[in-house]
Amino acid sequence: MRKKTLTLLFLTTLVLSGCNGANDDNDEMFDLFNPTKTCLVNRLVKEYTDRMYAQRSDAGVLPSEENKIVSPLYADRVKIKEYLGDYDECVPLELNFVTNKAIKNDAFVVRYWPKGKENQYIDIAAHDGKVELNNLFRSTTYEWKVLSSSGKESNVEKFTTDDYVRFINCGGAFNFRDAGGWTTLNGKRIKQGLIYRGGELNDHTLPNGHEKNIFGDSDPAKKIFVDDLGIRVDIDLRTREESDGMTSSPMNTAGVTKSDPRYVEYIRPNINSYINGLNSIVTQENIKIMFEDYFANANNKPVYYHCYAGADRTGTVGFVLGAILGMTYTDLIIDYEATTFSDNLKEHDVNRENTYFPDLLAGIKNWDFYSEDMTLCEIMETYLTQKCKVSMETIEQIRSIMLEDIN
């Protein structure tokens, strides 16, 4: 009997190693439970976004028809003041599983990856049969399984995340989100994980503020920026005074050199916001640098661009970038308004003070090349080529790396 048992265990080991550790016997050892909710944003962010889309639908407007500057701005029906607050978080998803008694004392790891990209897997140690997944891509199908310390492996399950603004959780960084994930007018999707936008990474209000970074060398948040997200360029849109003259990205650890593959390049172009900014020659010259030297290279060096709040200067650049990539008018507004759910409250409601987004749209209509027949994409493409002297080759390069088919 003992000999038969040993023979069976040996054969089982051969089968496991021949099919990467998974078979029907292993499947019976695990029960996997997919998340019942797959929304990655706070309830109020979801409600705001849903109401924006519902208003468009109620008006009988198709997303494909939203390729121009239109009126109203939706502030009349979707009151942004209802949603002001600190909600800029990526809500984690919880995965649960149970095992049978034979392996109950094992240690377990949950492995997950975007569907079809198993070589991009991430392992997380499980505790009490569960894990929390943070900073997932939006509108993406993930596959996952459980591995035990004794070599057992579950079957593969899958779930799909909902399609809302992709906020990123990263320590004290605020208003931090992915510029990608949006469905474009031509049916493509803007790639996620290449260009990020947000608020400052050091407290600019303190003397020598650059010495008090939001995260220090030992903060796990730095790993998220540099290792998990792979960011390699820090574009700081603040003035020299705001940044206290800092010359290196807070993402860099002490002693890191430019030759280190984890080094984060730091630049501080002078960018002004809204229509006055876009009409400024200095801003136009620096937009050219951002688009030609960095956005067109984000496939190899992912970018984080930011100002103080990630609202005005950052929002202006985001509007230009989103437009040339083919975002709809409503999505451009939602992307701009996502800042409203951070610590910095900026919104286009014309009844509030210090709000310049409507002026931006009105100012665009005063450009000498503007025509009501032009799409938003064509307007911003012309602005970049005529005013900023960005080449069409650069614009097409940005589109080639930032747009993908929807599977």
Side-chain angles (χ1 to χ4, degrees):
M1 188 67 167
R2 177 179 173 81
K3 184 176 181 180
K4 289 182 178 180
T5 301
L6 291 173
T7 302
L8 179 60
L9 288 172
F10 177 73
L11 292 175
T12 301
T13 302
L14 286 179
V15 173
L16 286 172
S17 58
C19 58
N20 198 30
N23 65 9
D24 291 339
D25 291 337
N26 278 349
D27 291 348
E28 294 176 359
M29 294 185 176
F30 299 88
D31 281 318
L32 275 56
F33 303 97
N34 283 316
T36 55
K37 295 181 179 180
T38 52
C39 185
L40 304 178
V41 295
N42 177 279
R43 176 183 61 83
L44 292 181
V45 180
K46 179 181 185 302
E47 179 182 319
Y48 164 73
T49 306
D50 290 346
R51 286 179 65 179
M52 287 289 285
Y53 289 145
Q55 180 172 262
R56 178 173 66 186
S57 178
D58 291 345
V61 178
L62 298 174
S64 59
E65 298 171 343
E66 283 210 316
N67 59 357
K68 297 182 179 181
I69 298 175
V70 296
S71 184
L73 294 176
Y74 305 129
D76 57 334
R77 291 183 58 187
V78 182
K79 295 293 186 181
I80 200 67
K81 289 190 288 291
E82 299 176 17
Y83 303 103
L84 298 181
D86 185 8
Y87 309 116
D88 60 334
E89 62 177 344
C90 175
V91 176
L93 296 190
E94 185 176 283
L95 301 179
N96 294 271
F97 63 92
V98 295
T99 66
N100 67 14
K101 294 180 180 180
I103 55 174
K104 68 176 183 178
N105 293 323
D106 283 6
F108 299 97
V109 166
V110 168
R111 174 170 295 179
Y112 69 99
W113 61 92
K115 183 180 178 182
K117 301 178 180 179
E118 190 167 2
N119 61 323
Q120 299 179 14
Y121 71 83
I122 297 175
D123 286 345
I124 299 183
H127 302 282
D128 299 323
K130 63 183 179 182
V131 297
E132 282 192 347
L133 310 184
N134 281 284
N135 300 331
L136 297 173
F137 288 151
R138 61 189 281 188
S139 192
T140 299
T141 298
Y142 283 89
E143 297 178 317
W144 67 288
K145 60 185 176 182
V146 181
L147 299 87
S148 78
S149 56
S150 62
K152 307 302 181 183
E153 183 175 316
S154 75
N155 61 317
V156 174
E157 287 289 343
K158 61 184 178 181
F159 62 90
T160 301
T161 57
D162 290 347
D163 197 8
Y164 293 92
V165 178
R166 187 191 179 210
F167 286 105
I168 305 294
N169 290 339
C170 190
F174 61 92
N175 199 12
F176 182 13
R177 58 189 192 267
D178 199 319
W182 304 95
T183 301
T184 64
L185 287 157
N186 63 355
K188 299 283 189 178
R189 185 176 294 280
I190 301 176
K191 287 183 183 177
Q192 301 171 76
L194 296 181
I195 298 179
Y196 298 92
R197 52 172 291 178
E200 64 182 1
L201 302 181
N202 67 301
D203 191 338
H204 79 288
T205 64
L206 299 176
N208 297 318
H210 62 285
E211 295 180 1
K212 185 174 177 55
N213 297 332
I214 284 176
F215 46 70
D217 284 352
S218 61
D219 194 320
K222 186 162 290 191
K223 177 182 181 299
I224 295 175
F225 269 95
V226 177
D227 296 335
D228 298 350
L229 302 179
I231 293 172
R232 291 297 178 268
V233 180
D234 179 352
I235 301 179
D236 188 347
L237 305 182
R238 298 174 301 169
T239 64
R240 185 183 186 280
E241 291 71 26
E242 283 181 291
S243 64
D244 197 32
M246 62 190 294
T247 58
S248 178
S249 173
M251 299 183 211
N252 287 319
T253 55
V256 68
T257 64
K258 293 182 179 181
S259 61
D260 192 311
R262 298 172 71 253
Y263 178 79
V264 179
E265 181 181 356
Y266 178 79
I267 66 165
R268 193 174 60 245
N270 187 358
I271 297 287
N272 292 315
S273 58
Y274 300 115
I275 194 62
N276 290 336
L278 293 182
N279 289 337
S280 160
I281 293 178
V282 172
T283 293
Q284 292 168 6
E285 291 173 345
N286 284 301
I287 283 179
K288 175 181 172 68
I289 292 172
M290 290 179 66
F291 277 70
E292 290 198 335
D293 295 350
Y294 296 100
F295 289 171
N297 195 34
N299 199 41
N300 298 317
K301 296 182 72 175
V303 171
Y304 180 66
Y305 73 97
H306 65 93
C307 51
Y308 155 49
D312 304 307
R313 288 163 286 190
T314 300
T316 301
V317 173
F319 185 84
V320 176
L321 177 63
I324 67 161
L325 292 176
M327 286 174 61
T328 68
Y329 180 70
T330 294
D331 283 346
L332 286 167
I333 293 175
I334 292 172
D335 184 47
Y336 173 81
E337 297 289 22
T339 294
T340 305
F341 299 96
S342 76
D343 291 334
N344 296 278
L345 311 179
K346 305 287 185 179
E347 70 287 335
H348 73 237
D349 188 333
V350 295
N351 294 321
R352 294 182 65 85
E353 297 179 355
N354 301 321
T355 302
Y356 305 104
F357 190 71
D359 293 339
L360 167 65
L361 301 179
I364 289 172
K365 293 184 177 183
N366 290 325
W367 283 344
D368 53 11
F369 58 80
Y370 174 80
S371 166
E372 290 187 358
D373 294 329
M374 296 177 73
T375 65
L376 263 167
C377 184
E378 291 169 338
I379 293 168
M380 287 306 172
E381 182 180 281
T382 304
Y383 168 76
L384 287 174
T385 55
Q386 289 191 11
K387 301 297 183 180
C388 304
K389 309 305 180 184
V390 175
S391 69
M392 271 306 303
E393 289 78 12
T394 293
I395 294 174
E396 291 301 335
Q397 172 68 7
I398 293 172
R399 289 170 178 158
S400 70
I401 68 171
M402 290 299 296
L403 298 176
E404 62 183 353
D405 293 330
I406 299 176
N407 296 326

